[in-house]
């Protein structure tokens, strides 16, 4: 813990993953006095495990596509200009892994403003038969960041407390976390146990495993197919990831089978290209926290008991405008980024800053309260 005599902060952020670190960085840049709290250290959760590819989401038109597209553009700009030493930029080849994805990819190609070109012969010759017969899109610019390095660099100089937040108390207009006090509390705790009675928030943890390897095969660009494969770094390392396991939870007490995860990753990578002389260097594992509707969450949290007491007929499906709900004061949740936490973090942190500093309302589409009415109806 970096000791600090000041226990009163403008903002306390609980959770030092990519969401917490980017928020701490952005709010500090805006002149606020920020404390960052984590039970295990910086980038110790899902963020420390991430391959941290800054890639566009291939999806058809809709709200999700618009948010992801804006977030992707903002993230590329953010990491390449603010943290270039932790950001590797290379072209990105996305290969469809199913007929449904091929359909989405062909639509995406027609509509995207992102620069893309034809595959050159050298790259084609690297791919195996399955991959070379699929629909592809080859973007001129992609990026991958050093997940742990960038998180640490962002919070350099910011007060950090190694502390498990257990009870969140609100007294005299201030939130209290251990010995710390603040007006604004931000919860960015990923897929970890919720700290408030907010069962309506639709989140689930999706376990992921990635590996770093050495291989004599040189990878010239970012590859996304059945798994993602990074370009060969200056140090000669290639990252492969990640698995998506909705059944395993580290909170179950069950042991995770690392060997099986490695085998799965290498099998999936072999569907894209042949990797020669592989030596596994490191394993990284963690939980991504995905929202039930795939949109990220940024906004105030509804106090469910107080709101149900005020509007008991919500239990019978009464329509109540969300501005009438009772919210926990000055408390913002940032979560639900699924497999796109590094893409979304600069976008979410910018809007968090606009809400706290400039008092600009966060787009209600991101609000965690969107899950509340349906949950309330099930409480009858
Ligand atoms: C294997 C893998 C690969 C991925 N690859 C990519 C990728 O290529 N690109 C991409 O954009 N995203 C990727 N992701 C997703 C991305 O990592 C997540 O979306 C992101 O990590 C979410 O960040 P977060 O800050 O919300 O949560 P986390 O990183 O999980 O951070 C939450 C933090 O909260 C702390 N915490 C929880 N409860 C408490 C408490 N009570 N008190 C104090 N501290 C607490 C935890 O210790 C943890 O450090 C990947 C994820 C995984 C697992």
């Amino acid at each position: 813990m970096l000791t600090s005599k000041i226990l009163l902060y403008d903002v306390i952020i609980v959770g030092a993953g990519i969401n917490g670190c980017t928020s701490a960085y952005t709010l500090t840049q805006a002149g606020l006095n920020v404390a960052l709290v984590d039970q295990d250290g910086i980038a110790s959760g899902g963020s420390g495990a991430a391959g941290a590819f800054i890639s566009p989401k291939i999806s058809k038109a809709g709200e999700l596509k618009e948010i992801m597209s804006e977030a992707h553009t903002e993230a590329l700009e953010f990491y390449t200009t603010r943290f270039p030493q932790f950001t590797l930029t290379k072209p990105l080849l996305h290969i469809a892994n199913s007929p449904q994805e091929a359909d989405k990819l062909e639509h995406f190609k027609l509509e995207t403003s992102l620069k893309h070109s034809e595959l050159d012969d050298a790259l084609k010759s690297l791919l195996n038969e399955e991959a070379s017969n699929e629909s592809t899109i080859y973007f001129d610019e992609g990026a991958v960041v050093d997940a742990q390095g960038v998180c640490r660099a962002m919070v350099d100089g910011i007060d950090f407390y190694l502390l498990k937040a257990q009870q969140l108390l609100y007294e005299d207009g201030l939130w209290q976390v251990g010995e710390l006090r603040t007006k604004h509390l931000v919860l960015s705790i990923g897929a970890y146990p919720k700290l408030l009675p907010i069962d309506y928030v639709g989140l689930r943890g999706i376990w992921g495993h990635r590996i770093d390897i050495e291989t004599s095969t040189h990878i010239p660009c970012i590859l996304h197919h059945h798994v993602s494969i990074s370009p060969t770094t200056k140090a000669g390392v290639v990252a492969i990831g990640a698995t998506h396991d909705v059944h395993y939870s580290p909170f179950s007490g069950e042991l995770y089978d690392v060997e099986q995860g490695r085998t799965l990753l290498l099998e999936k990578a072999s569907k894209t290209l042949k990797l020669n002389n592989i030596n596994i260097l490191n394993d990284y594992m963690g939980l991504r926290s995905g929202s039930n509707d795939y949109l990220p969450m940024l906004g105030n949290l509804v106090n469910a008991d107080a709101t149900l007491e005020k509007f008991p007929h919500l239990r019978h499906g009464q329509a109540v405008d969300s501005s009438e709900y009772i919210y926990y004061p000055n408390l913002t949740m940032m979560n639900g980024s699924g497999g796109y936490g590094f893409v979304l973090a600069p976008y979410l942190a910018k809007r968090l800053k606009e809400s706290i500093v400039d008092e600009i309302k966060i787009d209600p589409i991101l609000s965690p309260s969107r899950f509340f009415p349906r949950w309330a109806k099930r409480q009858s």
Side-chain angles (χ1 to χ4, degrees):
M1 183 178 100
L2 298 177
T3 49
S4 162
K5 284 191 181 124
I6 310 162
L7 295 176
L8 180 64
Y9 288 90
D10 296 326
V11 185
I12 297 177
I13 301 171
V14 181
I18 188 64
N19 276 328
C21 292
T22 315
S23 300
Y25 170 81
T26 306
L27 294 171
T28 304
Q29 292 277 306
L32 299 189
N33 185 21
V34 176
L36 181 62
V37 170
D38 198 291
Q39 60 193 8
D40 293 323
I42 291 158
S44 56
S47 301
F53 295 93
I54 309 304
S55 303
K57 185 167 172 67
I58 308 293
S59 52
K60 286 192 180 170
E63 284 153 348
L64 180 61
K65 183 181 176 195
E66 276 167 35
I67 289 171
M68 292 307 302
S69 156
E70 216 173 316
H72 173 251
T73 306
E74 290 182 17
L76 273 182
E77 211 262 338
F78 179 86
Y79 294 112
T80 54
T81 59
R82 314 266 180 121
F83 298 97
Q85 68 278 40
F86 297 101
T87 310
L88 177 65
T89 52
K90 289 278 177 190
L92 187 172
L93 176 61
H94 191 112
I95 306 166
N97 60 25
S98 67
Q100 292 87 329
E101 221 212 355
D103 181 42
K104 269 196 251 171
L105 199 147
E106 292 305 323
H107 265 85
F108 188 89
K109 237 190 223 179
L110 294 176
E111 289 174 1
T112 185
S113 56
L114 295 169
K115 280 197 197 149
H116 55 282
S117 31
E118 290 299 315
L119 284 193
D120 57 52
D121 288 342
L123 186 52
K124 261 189 201 159
S125 68
L126 201 64
L127 303 179
N128 69 19
E129 207 184 327
E130 181 192 327
S132 51
N133 289 327
E134 291 290 0
S135 282
T136 57
I137 182 163
Y138 186 45
F139 298 102
D140 294 9
E141 193 187 11
V144 54
V145 300
D146 166 353
Q148 299 188 1
V150 85
C151 285
R152 291 207 178 91
M154 279 185 203
V155 300
D156 189 27
I158 295 176
D159 286 356
F160 173 72
Y161 295 86
L162 190 61
L163 172 74
K164 179 172 180 155
Q166 315 227 33
Q167 250 190 318
L168 302 175
L169 296 175
Y170 186 73
E171 235 174 55
D172 301 329
L174 295 175
W175 285 100
Q176 190 176 331
V177 180
E179 296 299 306
L180 315 175
R181 307 271 189 291
T182 187
K183 183 173 176 206
H184 293 281
L185 183 65
V186 176
L187 291 182
S188 50
I189 59 170
Y192 290 77
K194 294 166 181 151
L195 295 168
L196 291 164
I198 47 169
D199 289 347
Y200 59 87
V201 173
L203 283 175
R204 67 203 163 114
I206 308 146
W207 182 250
H209 181 176
R210 88 164 161 94
I211 49 177
D212 279 353
I213 62 162
E214 277 172 344
T215 165
S216 57
T217 308
H218 180 79
I219 315 290
C221 66
I222 297 165
L223 294 161
H224 293 311
H225 189 200
H226 293 280
V227 278
S228 302
I229 304 174
S230 79
T232 310
T233 65
K234 271 192 199 144
V237 177
V238 171
I240 302 178
T243 55
H244 285 78
D245 186 342
V246 288
H247 303 294
Y248 177 74
S249 165
F251 306 123
S252 67
E254 227 179 285
L255 277 184
Y256 172 69
D257 189 338
V258 176
E259 272 311 321
Q260 205 178 1
R262 290 176 168 185
T263 308
L264 188 64
L265 283 167
L266 292 174
E267 259 172 34
K268 286 183 177 229
S270 72
K271 293 183 180 179
T272 309
L273 80 176
K274 183 161 168 36
L275 293 167
N276 295 310
N277 306 312
I278 295 171
N279 176 28
I280 298 178
L281 300 172
N282 271 311
D283 296 272
Y284 302 86
M285 288 150 269
L287 280 174
R288 319 161 175 86
S289 170
S291 75
N292 292 349
D293 60 5
Y294 304 104
L295 285 165
M297 291 181 207
L298 179 70
N300 300 140
L301 287 169
V302 179
N303 181 327
D305 288 346
T307 306
L308 281 176
E309 202 179 315
K310 184 176 173 197
F311 300 109
H313 296 299
L314 272 165
R315 291 190 171 90
H316 310 295
Q318 180 196 8
V320 174
D321 192 274
S322 59
S323 63
E324 301 279 316
Y325 299 161
I326 298 175
Y327 292 88
Y328 291 101
N330 299 322
L331 187 153
T332 313
M333 170 188 250
M334 186 184 285
N335 210 322
S337 302
Y340 286 85
F342 281 77
V343 177
L344 281 159
Y347 172 95
L348 297 175
K350 182 174 169 208
R351 279 135 190 96
L352 174 72
K353 177 253 158 194
E354 287 170 354
S355 144
I356 294 178
V357 179
D358 312 318
E359 295 184 11
I360 296 175
K361 219 171 160 287
I362 297 169
D363 187 340
I365 203 175
L366 299 173
S367 171
S369 71
R370 65 187 186 263
F371 297 105
F372 180 67
R374 187 181 278 196
W375 174 87
K377 210 172 151 186
R378 289 201 306 265
Q379 304 312 303
S380 56

